[in-house]
Amino acid sequence: MSYVLGLLLFLAGSQVFASPVSSDGAAIEQLQNSLRSNPYENNLRAQLIQKYLDTNQLSQAQQEWASYLKLDPQLKADGAKGLQVQLLLEGQQLKQAKTMSFQILAEPQSSSEDRFRAHVVLGDLAFAGFTRGDAAFRYGKALQITKSPAVRHRLARAYISGKRYSKAQDVLSDLIGSGYSPDPVRYDYLQSLLLAGQNEKAAHRLQQWHLEEPGNPWIATAHARLLHSLQQSDLALEVLQHYAGMYQLPSEMQALSLQLQQRQPTSVNDDILPARPAQATNAGVLREVVVAEEVTRRPVSFQAQLGYQLVNNKVAGEGFNSLLSPEAGFSAGIRGEVRAVSEERSYVMAARVFEQKYKIPSGLAQDTDRSQGLAMFAGVQQQLTPSGLQLQGGLDLRHRSGIESSTNTYVSGYQMLGLRAELAQTWELRGPWSVAAIGDVTLPVYFAESTAESGQLKWAYYATLQGHVQYRLRDGIVVSAGLGMVRNEFQFKGSGSRGVTNAVDTEDGLTVPVRFAWIY
C-alpha cells in the first residue's frame, strides 16, 4: 500500500494539466512569415519543408519543394539532394529514393548533410524490409555524421526488430536521460524491457513516469495493464480510478477498467502495452499504412551468362615435357542464388551449372571439345563501406568433367573444395547505368583429378578480375557486359600415375562475359 499512498500524495499535490501543445505549428507559422519577407531564401524554405515532413504534411512539403527547385534546379545547395531523397521516401517513391541515396553516397563531393539523409533513408528502407541491408548499420553511419536524437531512436527500433534488446535499452535509456523522451521513445523502451522479460523493471519505470505525468493516458493504461499482468489487479484498478477522478477515461481505459472489475486474467506480454502513442514526427520507420508495390524484398536471383574465352594452359617441370595448349571458345551457364539477410550481413547460397565448348588451335588435338561443370558456394556477404564495397567469403565446391568430341570419350576433370573470398564494388551512373568491378580468389583445401593423378597437390589458387557495365531494364532485371582476366596456378609434387612429378600447371586468359540477371 506504500505505492498507493505515494501515488495519492503526489496526485493530491499535483496540478491537473493537459499534454503540452507542440511548438511545431508556431515554428511553421514563423517560417512562413519569414519566407513572405524573403521569398528567395531557400534555406528558410528547406527548413519549412522539413517541418512539413515532420508533421506529416506531405502535400505542403511538395508544394514548397516545387518553389525550391525554381531557385535551385541543379540541387547545388548543401542538403538539397538529401532533402529530395526524403521527399521521395515520404511520397512512397521508394525505388527512386534508394537509387538516389546510393548515388549521393557514391559521389565523393556530396555534402555531409546529403550523406546523412541518404544513410537515414536507406536505413528506413531496410527497416521496413523494402531493400536488402542492415538498418542498424545505416543508422550508425548517419550518426557518425550527425548526432541526431531522432536517428538514435531509429537505431534503437532497429535493435528491437533484431531482438538485440540490451543494445536498444542502452540507446533509449541514454535518450531519456538526456531529456529526449517523447512518448514513442518511452513506449519503445518499455517494449524492449518486456520483450527481454524484465517486467519488474518496466513496472518501476512506469510507476516513475506515472508519478511525473499523471495526465498521460497511455502511460496510465500501460501501468494498469502491467500491474494486472503481475497479479496486482487491485493496484491496477486504483490507477484507473484515480485517473478517472481527474480526466475522462478514453475507450481503451474504459474497456480495461471493466476487465479489471470482472477479474479477467492476463499474463501475455504482447497484451500489456496499449496502442502505440501518436507522434507528430516520423520516429524512424516508414508509416504503418505505406504500401509499396514497386520495391519488394528480393532474396532470390537467377542469372544466365554467355561468354567467349581465350586461355593458355601451360604445364612445366620435372616429370613433364613443357606443354603450351591455347584454348578458345564459348561458355554458357545458369546461376541461382539465395540470400538470407540478418541484422549485419547476408548469408549466400549459390549454384552454377555451366558448359564450355572450345577448340585447341595447336597442341594435342584439332577437334572441338567440351566440358561440363557444377559449382556451389555457401558463405556470408558483408558491406564494408557506405559506398557499397562488399566482401563475400565462404566455401566453394567445384566439379568439372570433359568430353573429347573426336572419340566421344571422357577426359580429365577435377573435384575441388576451396575457401573463396570476393570483393565487389558497384558505382551508380546516370539513370539505369552502373559499372561494377569484381575480384575473387579461391584457395583449394582439397583437389583431385578425375582420370590421371599428377601427384600430391602442394598449393594452388584460382583468381579472376572482372569489370562490367550494367544496364537496369527495370527493377529486378539487369543486363551487363564486361571483360575479365583469369589466373589459375597449381603445383603438384610426388608420385602419381604420370610418374614422378614436380610441376606447375598455370592457366592465364581473358573472358568476355554477357549476363542477364533476374532478381526475384
Side-chain angles (χ1 to χ4, degrees):
M1 294 301 294
S2 60
Y3 163 77
V4 177
L5 180 60
L7 181 59
L8 285 171
L9 290 174
F10 182 87
L11 292 178
S14 298
Q15 179 182 5
V16 176
F17 62 91
S19 299
V21 178
S22 171
S23 61
D24 285 327
I28 288 175
E29 185 177 358
Q30 183 178 357
L31 287 169
Q32 289 172 336
N33 293 333
S34 299
L35 265 180
R36 292 189 187 98
S37 304
N38 304 278
Y40 301 105
E41 183 53 66
N42 253 0
N43 287 332
L44 289 173
R45 185 168 280 106
Q47 295 177 42
L48 180 58
I49 292 170
Q50 185 62 58
K51 278 295 181 182
Y52 281 142
L53 291 176
D54 290 344
T55 53
N56 300 336
Q57 301 181 62
L58 180 59
S59 60
Q60 290 89 334
Q62 291 172 335
Q63 290 174 8
E64 287 296 338
W65 178 249
S67 300
Y68 186 104
L69 287 177
K70 292 179 181 179
L71 297 176
D72 185 17
Q74 301 301 320
L75 301 179
K76 294 183 178 180
D78 288 349
K81 292 181 180 179
L83 189 58
Q84 184 180 36
V85 165
Q86 189 175 351
L87 280 161
L88 291 172
L89 179 68
E90 295 289 344
Q92 302 184 23
Q93 296 175 275
L94 307 185
K95 180 175 65 176
Q96 294 89 330
K98 180 181 69 172
T99 300
M100 189 172 182
S101 295
F102 279 120
Q103 289 174 347
I104 290 172
L105 296 176
E107 295 175 0
Q109 68 273 20
S110 294
S111 69
S112 59
E113 186 176 351
D114 286 333
R115 299 178 70 84
F116 169 78
R117 290 179 186 268
H119 279 303
V120 172
V121 165
L122 290 174
D124 285 346
L125 287 168
F127 184 93
F130 293 132
T131 187
R132 291 182 294 189
D134 177 25
F137 170 81
R138 287 295 177 186
Y139 294 146
K141 287 296 182 181
L143 288 169
Q144 291 178 8
I145 300 172
T146 302
K147 302 298 183 182
S148 163
V151 176
R152 291 180 68 193
H153 186 196
R154 285 168 153 82
L155 177 63
R157 295 201 70 184
Y159 284 148
I160 293 173
S161 177
K163 300 182 180 180
R164 301 163 72 180
Y165 304 127
S166 61
K167 282 185 169 290
Q169 291 168 24
D170 290 342
V171 174
L172 293 167
S173 181
D174 288 344
L175 281 174
I176 294 169
S178 67
Y180 185 81
S181 56
D183 288 349
V185 170
R186 290 188 287 187
Y187 182 95
D188 290 326
Y189 182 62
L190 289 176
Q191 185 184 45
S192 68
L193 291 172
L194 294 173
L195 291 173
Q198 298 173 286
N199 292 25
E200 294 289 347
K201 188 174 181 179
H204 176 74
R205 278 286 191 169
L206 273 170
Q207 176 183 347
Q208 176 186 354
W209 294 340
H210 192 191
L211 292 174
E212 294 172 354
E213 295 186 34
N216 190 318
W218 84 262
I219 288 180
T221 306
H223 197 189
R225 283 176 178 270
L226 185 52
L227 288 172
H228 184 33
S229 73
L230 296 175
Q231 312 303 321
Q232 301 179 44
S233 301
D234 291 337
L235 293 180
L237 189 57
E238 289 185 29
V239 168
L240 295 181
Q241 288 173 345
H242 286 306
Y243 185 92
M246 298 178 294
Y247 309 100
Q248 182 178 357
L249 285 180
S251 57
E252 185 177 12
M253 296 179 72
Q254 291 177 10
L256 178 59
S257 179
L258 180 61
Q259 178 185 356
L260 291 170
Q261 293 172 21
Q262 295 176 351
R263 302 296 179 181
Q264 298 177 10
T266 180
S267 60
V268 181
N269 282 352
D270 290 343
D271 293 334
I272 291 174
L273 291 180
R276 184 177 180 84
Q279 55 191 31
T281 60
N282 181 357
V285 293
L286 301 178
R287 297 188 184 89
E288 300 290 340
V289 296
V290 69
V291 177
E293 297 181 353
E294 59 176 331
V295 178
T296 58
R297 302 194 71 169
R298 301 182 180 277
V300 181
S301 66
F302 301 94
Q303 185 180 107
Q305 176 175 324
L306 175 67
Y308 184 83
Q309 63 181 16
L310 173 63
V311 176
N312 287 322
N313 189 336
K314 182 179 180 180
V315 183
E318 180 184 343
F320 280 92
N321 295 321
S322 180
L323 173 66
L324 177 63
S325 177
E327 301 172 355
F330 293 94
S331 66
I334 298 177
R335 172 188 171 100
E337 183 177 292
V338 179
R339 293 176 182 270
V341 182
S342 74
E343 297 173 47
E344 298 179 352
R345 56 187 60 87
S346 299
Y347 296 90
V348 183
M349 293 186 65
R352 175 173 174 249
V353 179
F354 62 91
E355 180 178 67
Q356 295 177 327
K357 293 184 178 181
Y358 54 86
K359 283 189 175 183
I360 304 177
S362 62
L364 297 179
Q366 299 294 328
D367 295 313
T368 298
D369 296 339
R370 67 183 187 273
S371 67
Q372 298 81 35
L374 170 66
M376 293 184 289
F377 173 81
V380 297
Q381 181 171 288
Q382 173 70 56
Q383 184 159 302
L384 300 180
T385 65
S387 61
L389 179 64
Q390 292 184 329
L391 172 64
Q392 182 173 279
L395 290 175
D396 194 9
L397 177 65
R398 303 184 191 182
H399 170 81
R400 179 173 172 178
S401 61
I403 298 293
E404 186 174 309
S405 300
S406 57
T407 60
N408 201 33
T409 58
Y410 178 84
V411 296
S412 180
Y414 65 82
Q415 297 83 42
M416 184 206 75
L417 176 65
L419 300 175
R420 182 171 181 267
E422 174 187 290
L423 277 175
Q425 173 74 61
T426 300
W427 295 272
E428 298 288 343
L429 304 179
R430 290 184 178 274
W433 293 94
S434 62
V435 294
I438 305 170
D440 66 78
V441 60
T442 302
L443 303 177
V445 296
Y446 168 79
F447 185 93
E449 288 190 303
S450 302
T451 57
E453 295 184 2
S454 302
Q456 182 181 359
L457 177 69
K458 280 190 65 176
W459 59 268
Y461 67 86
Y462 291 75
T464 63
L465 179 63
Q466 299 182 21
H468 297 270
V469 177
Q470 303 176 143
Y471 182 83
R472 187 175 58 256
L473 294 176
R474 49 166 294 185
D475 189 44
I477 299 181
V478 179
V479 293
S480 66
L483 182 66
M485 295 183 293
V486 178
R487 170 75 180 184
N488 304 330
E489 188 168 329
F490 318 87
Q491 182 171 351
F492 301 92
K493 186 176 183 179
S495 178
S497 61
R498 298 178 182 176
V500 177
T501 303
N502 187 3
V504 176
D505 186 347
T506 59
E507 295 178 347
D508 298 280
L510 296 175
T511 62
V512 184
V514 179
R515 295 176 178 173
F516 175 87
W518 174 42
I519 306 172
Y520 175 73

